[in-house]
Amino acid sequence: MTRPPPSARTSTLRFRRPLVIGLLAALAAIAMALGRPLLKPSSDSAATPGPDSSTLLPAPSLSDRPPSHAPHRESRGALDKADGVVPDGVTVLDDEVPAVANLDAELLDALRRAAQDAVGDGVTFTVNSGWRSAAYQEELLRKAVAQYGSEAEAARWVATAITSPHVSGDAVDIGPDRATDWLSTHGAAYGLCRIYRNEPWHFELRTNAAEQGCPRMYADPTQDPRMRQ
């Protein structure tokens, strides 16, 4: 076979080189668009560092803000409705639920009278927590200590089984926000009062509130003399 003259080979190379360079440039552009390197880095090359986690702001501590709802809805283990665990959607009219049925009779009567009147304003009372067994209260306290990091901080939210008015049936946690707002405004007429400033959902019966108004609220349960037994 006759080889082409040198001038022909030179022309061919000059023609192919721009084509190859252009092809490589196109492949590189496609690779960049896909976010992948054109060539796989060798195993001994340094890995590309990820985002620096030290620049991320930490999540706010639970103890820095009050919960937006009553922190006593869920339970684990062997506890159930018989211990005061409340299913979703329970109201003050649900006699078959121990958390409601085991409330103090006068407190329950006041709640039901208030609930009937609130319906006219389009407000429904749900029970987030009511009566609780001692075992349930002890579990809630253990969980609060784990959540807030100390017994002292947990005491601002959860009482002991000995001191808790929930165990004696003298307290109820009401929701949603519209219901607690309604009770904050109208509850005294029924003897229903907020007791702790940091727990807008927590109500107890004060029978003289209709005449004298509700007593001044404690900042939190640690300020309540009943909690110091």
Side-chain angles (χ1 to χ4, degrees), residues 11-35:
S11 298
T12 302
L13 290 175
R14 287 176 180 174
F15 173 77
R16 290 177 179 175
R17 185 175 300 165
L19 179 63
V20 171
I21 293 174
L23 180 60
L24 288 175
L27 290 174
I30 293 172
M32 290 180 65
L34 295 175

PDB file of all heavy atoms in Angstrom, residues 11-35:
ATOM      1  N   SER A  11      -1.707  17.377   6.884  1.00  0.00           N
ATOM      2  CA  SER A  11      -3.025  17.996   6.720  1.00  0.00           C
ATOM      3  C   SER A  11      -4.078  17.222   7.480  1.00  0.00           C
ATOM      4  O   SER A  11      -4.989  17.784   8.085  1.00  0.00           O
ATOM      5  CB  SER A  11      -3.389  18.053   5.228  1.00  0.00           C
ATOM      6  OG  SER A  11      -2.456  18.841   4.537  1.00  0.00           O
ATOM      7  N   THR A  12      -3.959  15.859   7.435  1.00  0.00           N
ATOM      8  CA  THR A  12      -4.934  15.022   8.156  1.00  0.00           C
ATOM      9  C   THR A  12      -4.868  15.258   9.644  1.00  0.00           C
ATOM     10  O   THR A  12      -5.867  15.384  10.331  1.00  0.00           O
ATOM     11  CB  THR A  12      -4.678  13.550   7.839  1.00  0.00           C
ATOM     12  OG1 THR A  12      -4.777  13.376   6.428  1.00  0.00           O
ATOM     13  CG2 THR A  12      -5.698  12.665   8.546  1.00  0.00           C
ATOM     14  N   LEU A  13      -3.637  15.312  10.195  1.00  0.00           N
ATOM     15  CA  LEU A  13      -3.474  15.555  11.637  1.00  0.00           C
ATOM     16  C   LEU A  13      -4.007  16.914  12.017  1.00  0.00           C
ATOM     17  O   LEU A  13      -4.639  17.086  13.071  1.00  0.00           O
ATOM     18  CB  LEU A  13      -1.996  15.428  12.016  1.00  0.00           C
ATOM     19  CG  LEU A  13      -1.422  14.014  11.964  1.00  0.00           C
ATOM     20  CD1 LEU A  13       0.082  14.052  12.247  1.00  0.00           C
ATOM     21  CD2 LEU A  13      -2.120  13.109  12.988  1.00  0.00           C
ATOM     22  N   ARG A  14      -3.753  17.922  11.185  1.00  0.00           N
ATOM     23  CA  ARG A  14      -4.242  19.260  11.490  1.00  0.00           C
ATOM     24  C   ARG A  14      -5.767  19.298  11.487  1.00  0.00           C
ATOM     25  O   ARG A  14      -6.393  20.054  12.220  1.00  0.00           O
ATOM     26  CB  ARG A  14      -3.691  20.254  10.472  1.00  0.00           C
ATOM     27  CG  ARG A  14      -2.222  20.542  10.678  1.00  0.00           C
ATOM     28  CD  ARG A  14      -1.703  21.454   9.594  1.00  0.00           C
ATOM     29  NE  ARG A  14      -0.298  21.742   9.771  1.00  0.00           N
ATOM     30  CZ  ARG A  14       0.432  22.423   8.878  1.00  0.00           C
ATOM     31  NH1 ARG A  14      -0.137  22.868   7.746  1.00  0.00           N
ATOM     32  NH2 ARG A  14       1.709  22.649   9.104  1.00  0.00           N
ATOM     33  N   PHE A  15      -6.375  18.454  10.652  1.00  0.00           N
ATOM     34  CA  PHE A  15      -7.832  18.415  10.588  1.00  0.00           C
ATOM     35  C   PHE A  15      -8.434  17.720  11.804  1.00  0.00           C
ATOM     36  O   PHE A  15      -9.438  18.140  12.357  1.00  0.00           O
ATOM     37  CB  PHE A  15      -8.242  17.691   9.282  1.00  0.00           C
ATOM     38  CG  PHE A  15      -9.731  17.450   9.196  1.00  0.00           C
ATOM     39  CD1 PHE A  15     -10.597  18.475   8.860  1.00  0.00           C
ATOM     40  CD2 PHE A  15     -10.265  16.194   9.471  1.00  0.00           C
ATOM     41  CE1 PHE A  15     -11.946  18.265   8.787  1.00  0.00           C
ATOM     42  CE2 PHE A  15     -11.616  15.986   9.388  1.00  0.00           C
ATOM     43  CZ  PHE A  15     -12.461  17.011   9.045  1.00  0.00           C
ATOM     44  N   ARG A  16      -7.770  16.587  12.232  1.00  0.00           N
ATOM     45  CA  ARG A  16      -8.332  15.789  13.322  1.00  0.00           C
ATOM     46  C   ARG A  16      -8.124  16.439  14.680  1.00  0.00           C
ATOM     47  O   ARG A  16      -8.934  16.285  15.588  1.00  0.00           O
ATOM     48  CB  ARG A  16      -7.706  14.388  13.309  1.00  0.00           C
ATOM     49  CG  ARG A  16      -8.150  13.544  12.131  1.00  0.00           C
ATOM     50  CD  ARG A  16      -7.439  12.205  12.146  1.00  0.00           C
ATOM     51  NE  ARG A  16      -7.884  11.375  11.031  1.00  0.00           N
ATOM     52  CZ  ARG A  16      -7.361  10.192  10.756  1.00  0.00           C
ATOM     53  NH1 ARG A  16      -6.343   9.729  11.494  1.00  0.00           N
ATOM     54  NH2 ARG A  16      -7.833   9.479   9.747  1.00  0.00           N
ATOM     55  N   ARG A  17      -7.012  17.147  14.915  1.00  0.00           N
ATOM     56  CA  ARG A  17      -6.702  17.679  16.251  1.00  0.00           C
ATOM     57  C   ARG A  17      -7.782  18.637  16.742  1.00  0.00           C
ATOM     58  O   ARG A  17      -8.240  18.516  17.870  1.00  0.00           O
ATOM     59  CB  ARG A  17      -5.338  18.351  16.225  1.00  0.00           C
ATOM     60  CG  ARG A  17      -4.883  18.830  17.591  1.00  0.00           C
ATOM     61  CD  ARG A  17      -3.478  19.367  17.529  1.00  0.00           C
ATOM     62  NE  ARG A  17      -2.553  18.327  17.064  1.00  0.00           N
ATOM     63  CZ  ARG A  17      -1.326  18.573  16.638  1.00  0.00           C
ATOM     64  NH1 ARG A  17      -0.892  19.813  16.535  1.00  0.00           N
ATOM     65  NH2 ARG A  17      -0.548  17.582  16.271  1.00  0.00           N
ATOM     66  N   PRO A  18      -8.240  19.634  15.968  1.00  0.00           N
ATOM     67  CA  PRO A  18      -9.332  20.497  16.456  1.00  0.00           C
ATOM     68  C   PRO A  18     -10.597  19.719  16.743  1.00  0.00           C
ATOM     69  O   PRO A  18     -11.351  20.026  17.668  1.00  0.00           O
ATOM     70  CB  PRO A  18      -9.545  21.501  15.316  1.00  0.00           C
ATOM     71  CG  PRO A  18      -8.263  21.482  14.554  1.00  0.00           C
ATOM     72  CD  PRO A  18      -7.752  20.083  14.642  1.00  0.00           C
ATOM     73  N   LEU A  19     -10.867  18.662  15.926  1.00  0.00           N
ATOM     74  CA  LEU A  19     -12.062  17.862  16.144  1.00  0.00           C
ATOM     75  C   LEU A  19     -12.002  17.152  17.486  1.00  0.00           C
ATOM     76  O   LEU A  19     -12.968  17.133  18.250  1.00  0.00           O
ATOM     77  CB  LEU A  19     -12.212  16.859  14.989  1.00  0.00           C
ATOM     78  CG  LEU A  19     -13.429  15.925  15.090  1.00  0.00           C
ATOM     79  CD1 LEU A  19     -14.716  16.735  15.043  1.00  0.00           C
ATOM     80  CD2 LEU A  19     -13.399  14.913  13.938  1.00  0.00           C
ATOM     81  N   VAL A  20     -10.842  16.547  17.818  1.00  0.00           N
ATOM     82  CA  VAL A  20     -10.680  15.833  19.090  1.00  0.00           C
ATOM     83  C   VAL A  20     -10.798  16.796  20.258  1.00  0.00           C
ATOM     84  O   VAL A  20     -11.452  16.524  21.260  1.00  0.00           O
ATOM     85  CB  VAL A  20      -9.324  15.092  19.124  1.00  0.00           C
ATOM     86  CG1 VAL A  20      -9.058  14.537  20.512  1.00  0.00           C
ATOM     87  CG2 VAL A  20      -9.324  13.977  18.083  1.00  0.00           C
ATOM     88  N   ILE A  21     -10.125  17.960  20.126  1.00  0.00           N
ATOM     89  CA  ILE A  21     -10.161  18.950  21.209  1.00  0.00           C
ATOM     90  C   ILE A  21     -11.589  19.429  21.440  1.00  0.00           C
ATOM     91  O   ILE A  21     -12.057  19.573  22.566  1.00  0.00           O
ATOM     92  CB  ILE A  21      -9.227  20.127  20.892  1.00  0.00           C
ATOM     93  CG1 ILE A  21      -7.768  19.662  20.909  1.00  0.00           C
ATOM     94  CG2 ILE A  21      -9.428  21.263  21.891  1.00  0.00           C
ATOM     95  CD1 ILE A  21      -6.784  20.723  20.453  1.00  0.00           C
ATOM     96  N   GLY A  22     -12.308  19.666  20.347  1.00  0.00           N
ATOM     97  CA  GLY A  22     -13.698  20.112  20.468  1.00  0.00           C
ATOM     98  C   GLY A  22     -14.569  19.056  21.117  1.00  0.00           C
ATOM     99  O   GLY A  22     -15.450  19.343  21.921  1.00  0.00           O
ATOM    100  N   LEU A  23     -14.317  17.758  20.764  1.00  0.00           N
ATOM    101  CA  LEU A  23     -15.086  16.668  21.354  1.00  0.00           C
ATOM    102  C   LEU A  23     -14.840  16.566  22.843  1.00  0.00           C
ATOM    103  O   LEU A  23     -15.759  16.390  23.647  1.00  0.00           O
ATOM    104  CB  LEU A  23     -14.722  15.359  20.645  1.00  0.00           C
ATOM    105  CG  LEU A  23     -15.453  14.103  21.157  1.00  0.00           C
ATOM    106  CD1 LEU A  23     -16.958  14.262  20.981  1.00  0.00           C
ATOM    107  CD2 LEU A  23     -14.961  12.871  20.391  1.00  0.00           C
ATOM    108  N   LEU A  24     -13.565  16.695  23.249  1.00  0.00           N
ATOM    109  CA  LEU A  24     -13.237  16.643  24.686  1.00  0.00           C
ATOM    110  C   LEU A  24     -13.889  17.807  25.425  1.00  0.00           C
ATOM    111  O   LEU A  24     -14.377  17.657  26.553  1.00  0.00           O
ATOM    112  CB  LEU A  24     -11.718  16.677  24.866  1.00  0.00           C
ATOM    113  CG  LEU A  24     -10.969  15.410  24.471  1.00  0.00           C
ATOM    114  CD1 LEU A  24      -9.452  15.620  24.594  1.00  0.00           C
ATOM    115  CD2 LEU A  24     -11.401  14.228  25.335  1.00  0.00           C
ATOM    116  N   ALA A  25     -13.895  18.983  24.840  1.00  0.00           N
ATOM    117  CA  ALA A  25     -14.510  20.142  25.493  1.00  0.00           C
ATOM    118  C   ALA A  25     -16.002  19.940  25.673  1.00  0.00           C
ATOM    119  O   ALA A  25     -16.588  20.290  26.697  1.00  0.00           O
ATOM    120  CB  ALA A  25     -14.239  21.403  24.678  1.00  0.00           C
ATOM    121  N   ALA A  26     -16.637  19.331  24.666  1.00  0.00           N
ATOM    122  CA  ALA A  26     -18.080  19.075  24.759  1.00  0.00           C
ATOM    123  C   ALA A  26     -18.383  18.074  25.852  1.00  0.00           C
ATOM    124  O   ALA A  26     -19.326  18.224  26.632  1.00  0.00           O
ATOM    125  CB  ALA A  26     -18.611  18.579  23.408  1.00  0.00           C
ATOM    126  N   LEU A  27     -17.562  16.998  25.939  1.00  0.00           N
ATOM    127  CA  LEU A  27     -17.745  16.003  26.989  1.00  0.00           C
ATOM    128  C   LEU A  27     -17.559  16.611  28.368  1.00  0.00           C
ATOM    129  O   LEU A  27     -18.280  16.297  29.320  1.00  0.00           O
ATOM    130  CB  LEU A  27     -16.770  14.842  26.780  1.00  0.00           C
ATOM    131  CG  LEU A  27     -17.059  13.939  25.582  1.00  0.00           C
ATOM    132  CD1 LEU A  27     -15.938  12.909  25.409  1.00  0.00           C
ATOM    133  CD2 LEU A  27     -18.401  13.227  25.754  1.00  0.00           C
ATOM    134  N   ALA A  28     -16.565  17.497  28.492  1.00  0.00           N
ATOM    135  CA  ALA A  28     -16.322  18.148  29.788  1.00  0.00           C
ATOM    136  C   ALA A  28     -17.504  19.010  30.183  1.00  0.00           C
ATOM    137  O   ALA A  28     -17.910  19.053  31.354  1.00  0.00           O
ATOM    138  CB  ALA A  28     -15.053  18.991  29.719  1.00  0.00           C
ATOM    139  N   ALA A  29     -18.074  19.714  29.236  1.00  0.00           N
ATOM    140  CA  ALA A  29     -19.232  20.573  29.530  1.00  0.00           C
ATOM    141  C   ALA A  29     -20.415  19.741  29.971  1.00  0.00           C
ATOM    142  O   ALA A  29     -21.144  20.092  30.901  1.00  0.00           O
ATOM    143  CB  ALA A  29     -19.586  21.400  28.288  1.00  0.00           C
ATOM    144  N   ILE A  30     -20.631  18.575  29.305  1.00  0.00           N
ATOM    145  CA  ILE A  30     -21.734  17.683  29.702  1.00  0.00           C
ATOM    146  C   ILE A  30     -21.515  17.161  31.107  1.00  0.00           C
ATOM    147  O   ILE A  30     -22.423  17.086  31.935  1.00  0.00           O
ATOM    148  CB  ILE A  30     -21.869  16.532  28.693  1.00  0.00           C
ATOM    149  CG1 ILE A  30     -22.325  17.082  27.324  1.00  0.00           C
ATOM    150  CG2 ILE A  30     -22.845  15.486  29.206  1.00  0.00           C
ATOM    151  CD1 ILE A  30     -22.306  16.061  26.222  1.00  0.00           C
ATOM    152  N   ALA A  31     -20.273  16.775  31.405  1.00  0.00           N
ATOM    153  CA  ALA A  31     -19.959  16.245  32.736  1.00  0.00           C
ATOM    154  C   ALA A  31     -20.201  17.281  33.812  1.00  0.00           C
ATOM    155  O   ALA A  31     -20.727  16.994  34.883  1.00  0.00           O
ATOM    156  CB  ALA A  31     -18.501  15.776  32.771  1.00  0.00           C
ATOM    157  N   MET A  32     -19.816  18.538  33.550  1.00  0.00           N
ATOM    158  CA  MET A  32     -20.042  19.607  34.530  1.00  0.00           C
ATOM    159  C   MET A  32     -21.522  19.841  34.738  1.00  0.00           C
ATOM    160  O   MET A  32     -21.985  20.083  35.858  1.00  0.00           O
ATOM    161  CB  MET A  32     -19.358  20.896  34.059  1.00  0.00           C
ATOM    162  CG  MET A  32     -17.841  20.838  34.118  1.00  0.00           C
ATOM    163  SD  MET A  32     -17.108  22.386  33.549  1.00  0.00           S
ATOM    164  CE  MET A  32     -17.680  23.494  34.817  1.00  0.00           C
ATOM    165  N   ALA A  33     -22.316  19.764  33.693  1.00  0.00           N
ATOM    166  CA  ALA A  33     -23.760  19.974  33.816  1.00  0.00           C
ATOM    167  C   ALA A  33     -24.402  18.885  34.649  1.00  0.00           C
ATOM    168  O   ALA A  33     -25.359  19.114  35.378  1.00  0.00           O
ATOM    169  CB  ALA A  33     -24.402  20.023  32.428  1.00  0.00           C
ATOM    170  N   LEU A  34     -23.865  17.648  34.516  1.00  0.00           N
ATOM    171  CA  LEU A  34     -24.390  16.531  35.318  1.00  0.00           C
ATOM    172  C   LEU A  34     -23.831  16.504  36.715  1.00  0.00           C
ATOM    173  O   LEU A  34     -24.238  15.702  37.545  1.00  0.00           O
ATOM    174  CB  LEU A  34     -24.090  15.205  34.610  1.00  0.00           C
ATOM    175  CG  LEU A  34     -24.789  14.996  33.264  1.00  0.00           C
ATOM    176  CD1 LEU A  34     -24.308  13.696  32.634  1.00  0.00           C
ATOM    177  CD2 LEU A  34     -26.306  14.971  33.457  1.00  0.00           C
ATOM    178  N   GLY A  35     -22.870  17.353  37.027  1.00  0.00           N
ATOM    179  CA  GLY A  35     -22.279  17.396  38.358  1.00  0.00           C
ATOM    180  C   GLY A  35     -21.322  16.254  38.612  1.00  0.00           C
ATOM    181  O   GLY A  35     -21.079  15.868  39.745  1.00  0.00           O
TER     182      GLY A  35
END
